[in-house]
Amino acid sequence: MDNAAFEVAVAAFKADREQGASELARQALRIMGECAVTGQADTSSDLVALLEQRVQILTGARPSMVPVANLLQRWQTKLSICDGKELKEARVGLAEDALDLIRLSEDAVTTVAKNAAGFLGAGKTLFTHSLSSTVLELFRKLQGQNVQAIITESRPLNEGYKLAKELAGLSMPTTLITEAQIGLFIEKADVVVMGADSLLPDGSLINKTGSYLVALAAREQDVPFYVCCESFKQRTDEMGEPILESMDPAELSAPVIEGVTVENCYFDITPVHLISGWIDEIGVRLSRS
Amino acid sequence: MDNAAFEVAVAAFKADREQGASELARQALRIMGECAVTGQADTSSDLVALLEQRVQILTGARPSMVPVANLLQRWQTKLSICDGKELKEARVGLAEDALDLIRLSEDAVTTVAKNAAGFLGAGKTLFTHSLSSTVLELFRKLQGQNVQAIITESRPLNEGYKLAKELAGLSMPTTLITEAQIGLFIEKADVVVMGADSLLPDGSLINKTGSYLVALAAREQDVPFYVCCESFKQRTDEMGEPILESMDPAELSAPVIEGVTVENCYFDITPVHLISGWIDEIGVRLSRS
């Protein structure tokens, strides 16, 4: 992969609005794996220098996608080990490391779901908000175990409707509510399970707007609130303050009125003191509070 | 008004889905005023007996409309005073009493808004949810006083859009958000002002679903939460447990999926401990907590 081809790959990676953060992280690893095999270099030192540079560029292309930074950083730790190795050996080793991390990332979702299913057990009513692939995987693991779901529409794009269809496919009795009804229905749940966009260094949750309201209602009604996500979604202090992205206000389909500002912020922060525990691919970590 | 005409009036009163609770209460008083003037009776005792019976019927026609019960009850207290009076005098007196209560009810909204405007003062950012005629009147009183508004869509029927138009007409800078963003935007408000469907005997608020979430977020962010409503909206212990009405789930326009139950409950209860104070036509009552 020469510079021109890499630039094309980065542009496509930057423009991708279809895939989630974890899938993009795997895509970044695929690009780096290819760079390791075909990047122009005469020695392993040359190769490492080139790859170091390209990792920075890829990471910077999607700064708010925490799994991208985290998985690339893990791969990057392998670079220094290769410095001084025979070039071909370095190429093969780094490409394999990228593949290993891709598999690790793919397995992580399944393992998180397995850990969550084991911890929560059968016969519960689970409450969730928005659509998380990890939480959906958890529902799949709980199929046929007398589990019910209470889910939200998730305005403005209503990804709750997609989740409702998936749950119906699992024959899981499901109640669909507006966000406004969160406070009314939380008491009917045994537990809240929430996916994550990312986690702040202190464990606070960045997730689809409205998650914070679910957490407030859950605390008030003594319903435990668990976050289910892969460890790659953990932000570090070095990443700085998170940016809570806003999308096009037109997504709300509200009337356009002069003097009225329509807001469409996609993420909110659920502070750590409202979280009962975190379930990742390693296990269950319970809150100290 | 003979029995047949009264039955027609009751049927129309029962079927009315257009008017709010306070307007319906005034309509009930108009009906009773007419009954007082033209109801068939030979003596004032006959008249009082007839009116007692009809008051019960009208009250029972809209059991969840608290102002109807409250204003009719106030009028009913005048009946015993008339017993034994000259018939014509009784008729005129009771019709005037009904008119007085109608005026009292009309003035109450204005007085509540005036009290709230005086208490809250100029230069604030007010947060509200759904559309309350009392809160709208408050915004009118605060026009030109450097006040800003943060308001919600209020799914499923989006009465927030109507409020946004009204506020734009007052040239009041307004931010419109989804219910999901309540937790994000509450911190930008100085105070929450909420209308009421009714108040429980202990002061807890029954209002459009989502009000409870606003109150939870307001407490968490130290934003005071005030209820603005006429005293006629106070429930008494004798009214028993409130019924939180649900409307047609089709209002959500969610896809129909087998196994998925769509809920559309219109009201939630904000417990008294989340309320900073109540503003009615008498004045401001602050919470003890």
Side-chain angles (χ1 to χ4, degrees), chain A residues 167-189:
Chain A
L167 296 176
L170 299 173
S171 302
M172 196 168 278
T174 298
T175 301
L176 176 71
I177 61 170
T178 53
E179 273 74 76
Q181 294 174 88
I182 288 169
L184 272 171
F185 280 82
I186 201 91
E187 65 167 2
K188 300 181 198 299

Side-chain angles (χ1 to χ4, degrees), chain B:
Chain B
M1 192 180 263
D2 61 15
N3 280 332
F6 179 69
E7 272 170 33
V8 169
V10 170
F13 178 74
K14 205 167 180 167
D16 191 331
R17 289 283 176 275
E18 293 295 307
Q19 300 183 93
S22 296
E23 179 51 39
L24 278 172
R26 292 192 284 271
Q27 178 61 17
L29 287 167
R30 276 182 215 106
I31 295 170
M32 289 315 303
E34 203 181 321
C35 290
V37 176
T38 63
Q40 281 180 298
D42 294 325
T43 66
S44 62
S45 292
D46 284 357
L47 182 67
V48 166
L50 177 78
L51 297 176
E52 286 279 9
Q53 187 193 12
R54 290 187 174 177
V55 159
Q56 297 309 324
I57 293 168
L58 261 188
T59 305
R62 299 304 289 263
S64 71
M65 293 291 190
V66 172
V68 172
N70 278 335
L71 283 172
L72 284 179
Q73 199 172 30
R74 285 207 199 187
W75 183 77
Q76 205 178 354
T77 62
K78 310 287 184 178
L79 289 179
S80 57
I81 305 167
C82 292
D83 211 346
K85 275 191 184 172
E86 198 266 320
L87 178 61
K88 196 181 167 188
E89 190 193 346
R91 287 190 189 277
V92 171
L94 287 169
E96 277 175 3
D97 290 335
L99 276 176
D100 285 346
L101 283 167
I102 289 168
R103 271 191 293 267
L104 192 76
S105 162
E106 283 167 345
D107 291 347
V109 171
T110 315
T111 312
V112 173
K114 193 179 143 206
N115 288 344
F119 176 68
L120 299 172
K124 300 277 199 332
T125 297
L126 274 50
F127 191 112
T128 195
H129 172 60
S130 187
L131 172 60
S132 146
S133 55
T134 312
V135 171
L136 177 54
E137 192 60 33
L138 165 62
F139 279 121
R140 287 193 186 114
K141 296 247 181 282
L142 291 170
Q143 186 178 15
Q145 293 188 49
N146 192 26
V147 164
Q148 303 200 22
I150 304 174
I151 68 173
T152 56
E153 295 183 306
S154 295
R155 284 274 292 154
L157 295 188
N158 299 321
E159 49 279 25
Y161 296 170
K162 194 176 165 193
L163 179 58
K165 273 179 206 160
E166 295 278 357
L167 295 177
L170 299 173
S171 302
M172 196 169 276
T174 298
T175 302
L176 176 72
I177 60 170
T178 53
E179 274 73 75
Q181 294 174 88
I182 288 169
L184 272 172
F185 280 83
I186 201 89
E187 64 168 3
K188 299 181 198 299
D190 296 301
V191 62
V192 174
V193 283
M194 201 65 86
D197 179 70
S198 61
L199 294 177
L200 290 180
D202 71 352
S204 294
L205 169 67
I206 301 182
N207 198 42
K208 183 75 186 285
T209 299
S211 301
Y212 174 42
L213 295 175
V214 175
L216 286 171
R219 181 188 56 183
E220 186 77 2
Q221 307 273 343
D222 287 324
V223 178
F225 181 102
Y226 288 99
V227 177
C228 302
C229 74
E230 313 95 277
S231 60
F232 318 122
K233 291 190 168 170
Q234 179 69 56
R235 296 178 69 93
T236 60
D237 285 323
E238 293 72 42
M239 292 177 182
E241 286 294 304
I243 298 157
L244 303 181
E245 284 177 89
S246 283
M247 303 295 173
D248 186 354
E251 284 184 355
L252 269 66
S253 304
V256 176
I257 305 166
E258 203 185 318
V260 176
T261 307
V262 177
E263 293 282 355
N264 186 21
C265 187
Y266 257 49
F267 300 100
D268 64 18
I269 297 177
T270 300
V272 62
H273 71 270
L274 297 176
I275 299 173
S276 308
W278 299 260
I279 305 172
D280 63 15
E281 68 275 22
I282 298 144
V284 180
R285 181 163 48 107
L286 296 176
S287 166
R288 279 168 301 183
S289 60

Side-chain angles (χ1 to χ4, degrees), chain A residues 44-118:
Chain A
S44 62
S45 291
D46 284 357
L47 181 67
V48 166
L50 178 77
L51 296 176
E52 286 278 10
Q53 187 194 13
R54 289 186 175 176
V55 158
Q56 297 309 325
I57 292 167
L58 261 187
T59 304
R62 300 303 288 263
S64 71
M65 293 291 190
V66 172
V68 172
N70 279 335
L71 283 171
L72 284 179
Q73 199 173 31
R74 286 208 198 187
W75 184 75
Q76 205 180 354
T77 61
K78 311 286 185 179
L79 290 179
S80 57
I81 305 166
C82 291
D83 212 344
K85 276 191 184 171
E86 199 265 320
L87 178 62
K88 195 180 168 190
E89 189 193 348
R91 289 190 189 275
V92 172
L94 288 169
E96 277 175 2
D97 291 334
L99 277 175
D100 285 347
L101 283 167
I102 290 168
R103 273 190 292 268
L104 192 77
S105 162
E106 282 166 346
D107 292 346
V109 170
T110 316
T111 312
V112 174
K114 193 180 144 207
N115 288 343

Side-chain angles (χ1 to χ4, degrees), chain A residues 4 47 56 65 70 94 146 160 179 183-184 186 191 205-206 218 223 231 237 245 255 284-285:
Chain A
L47 181 67
Q56 297 309 325
M65 293 291 190
N70 279 335
L94 288 169
N146 192 27
E179 273 74 76
L184 272 171
I186 201 91
V191 62
L205 169 67
I206 300 183
V223 178
S231 60
D237 286 323
E245 284 178 90
V284 179
R285 180 163 48 108

Side-chain angles (χ1 to χ4, degrees), chain A residues 15 22 24 27 31 38 57 74-75 95-97 103 114 118 133 151 158 190 212 222 241 261 265 283 285:
Chain A
S22 297
L24 278 172
Q27 178 60 18
I31 295 170
T38 65
I57 292 167
R74 286 208 198 187
W75 184 75
E96 277 175 2
D97 291 334
R103 273 190 292 268
K114 193 180 144 207
S133 55
I151 67 173
N158 299 321
D190 296 301
Y212 174 42
D222 287 324
E241 287 295 305
T261 308
C265 187
R285 180 163 48 108

